[in-house]
Amino acid sequence: LELLDFARGVKVAGPRFTFLKGLGARLERSLLNFFLDSNIQAGYKELMAPYMANSKSFYGTGNLPKFGDQMFKVQDTDYYLIPTAEVPVTNYHSDEILDESTLPLRYCCFTPCFRSEAGAAGRDTRGYIRMHQFHKVELVKFVPPALSGAEHESLVAQAESLLRALKLPYRTVICCTGDMGANQAKQYDIEVWMPSYSRYVEASSCSNYTDYQARRAGIRYRPENGGKNEYLHTINGSALPGARLVSAVLEN
């Protein structure tokens, strides 16, 4: 069966773009709907977000200034194409003070994601694993510090449950500090088995940023006990990306 058309993707856009055809397109659409529906049933509220955001929003999540070369900037504007729904969804509450009684807030969001992949090389730059454009469902949480650890673990468990439902072999690894960004306090990578690689490949990265993003984006909460306003914690992770799960389903 012809499921993907790389040659026409290159013709129309360039390397690391593709068309999905027939059952290939239907498979990815079905997976993304399954991810969204499952996350909603688990208590996440769905958002539909802008596919572009301004530099202030990228600063709030920590993408700027360090990762500017990994993103596509819209010429003569202050807009960048989003590399993940984490950017618009985290900034959904930027410069706000939330009531503690409303926390935790749990959101899920489907978006296309755009990444320049500057400096990427090797086998991952071919095929349907590392693309300039791909689809992903993201989970984002806003939580009080006291619930931060437990909410991070439950987010990881939610992403894992989707892989178990698809009967895909996977493993979850905790990242050492050398494999994390300066903005992350704790990170798990969930990796799905890919027979063509004879190894596990990252399917989701689930991070607890504690108050790093909240401080940059100005997101605070008002304690129920009447104390002073405090910065909350943000947590996010993929649940799950379309392209890599299409590949994993087909191979396994």
Side-chain angles (χ1 to χ4, degrees):
L1 294 175
E2 282 192 281
L3 304 178
L4 299 103
D5 193 332
F6 295 107
R8 288 186 172 88
V10 172
K11 179 180 73 172
V12 170
R16 290 187 236 171
F17 291 94
T18 192
F19 283 89
L20 279 81
K21 302 173 60 176
L23 291 177
R26 187 176 179 184
L27 173 59
E28 179 153 337
R29 175 168 53 83
S30 299
L31 284 171
L32 293 166
N33 281 331
F34 167 65
F35 299 154
L36 280 171
D37 291 344
S38 298
N39 293 329
I40 292 167
Q41 290 171 10
Y44 290 82
K45 179 181 290 187
E46 183 178 3
L47 294 179
M48 293 194 75
Y51 300 163
M52 294 186 287
N54 56 36
S55 58
K56 181 178 183 293
S57 295
F58 279 92
Y59 176 85
T61 51
N63 297 82
L64 287 177
K66 184 175 182 180
F67 299 108
D69 65 340
Q70 295 291 327
M71 300 183 295
F72 290 107
K73 191 175 191 303
V74 182
Q75 188 174 0
D76 299 325
T77 75
D78 188 41
Y79 298 134
Y80 292 82
L81 298 178
I82 61 169
T84 167
E86 171 194 344
V87 177
V89 178
T90 300
N91 285 279
Y92 183 69
H93 290 297
S94 63
D95 300 317
E96 293 184 16
I97 300 174
L98 307 173
D99 288 329
E100 186 176 11
S101 61
T102 66
L103 302 177
L105 293 171
R106 306 178 180 97
Y107 296 111
C108 64
C109 183
F110 158 78
T111 64
C113 303
F114 306 91
R115 301 184 183 182
S116 70
E117 298 293 356
R123 181 177 178 180
D124 282 354
T125 63
R126 300 187 296 275
Y128 202 45
I129 295 296
R130 191 179 292 275
M131 308 291 290
H132 284 314
Q133 174 189 309
F134 60 95
H135 300 122
K136 183 159 67 76
V137 175
E138 188 79 0
L139 303 180
V140 178
K141 291 184 176 185
F142 301 84
V143 306
L147 299 180
S148 185
E151 289 290 335
H152 185 202
E153 298 294 329
S154 70
L155 185 145
V156 175
Q158 175 60 19
E160 290 176 330
S161 73
L162 303 177
L163 292 171
R164 286 196 300 274
L166 294 171
K167 296 182 170 58
L168 291 173
Y170 73 92
R171 69 180 184 185
T172 301
V173 298
I174 187 168
C175 299
C176 69
T177 53
D179 287 335
M180 296 193 302
N183 53 356
Q184 295 157 308
K186 188 175 183 179
Q187 176 184 334
Y188 291 99
D189 281 351
I190 304 174
E191 302 174 340
V192 65
W193 178 254
M194 296 290 289
S196 66
Y197 285 78
S198 296
R199 64 175 173 86
Y200 290 91
V201 174
E202 181 190 325
S204 174
S205 182
C206 303
S207 301
N208 188 342
Y209 294 88
T210 62
D211 61 358
Y212 181 94
Q213 292 180 330
R215 288 179 180 275
R216 291 170 73 98
I219 312 171
R220 294 178 290 168
Y221 72 98
R222 186 179 295 106
E224 289 184 295
N225 62 14
K228 67 177 183 178
N229 297 333
E230 299 180 18
Y231 290 102
L232 47 69
H233 286 188
T234 60
I235 300 164
N236 68 59
S238 304
L240 287 164
R244 293 199 178 187
L245 268 295
V246 165
S247 300
V249 166
L250 292 175
E251 289 195 16
N252 283 283

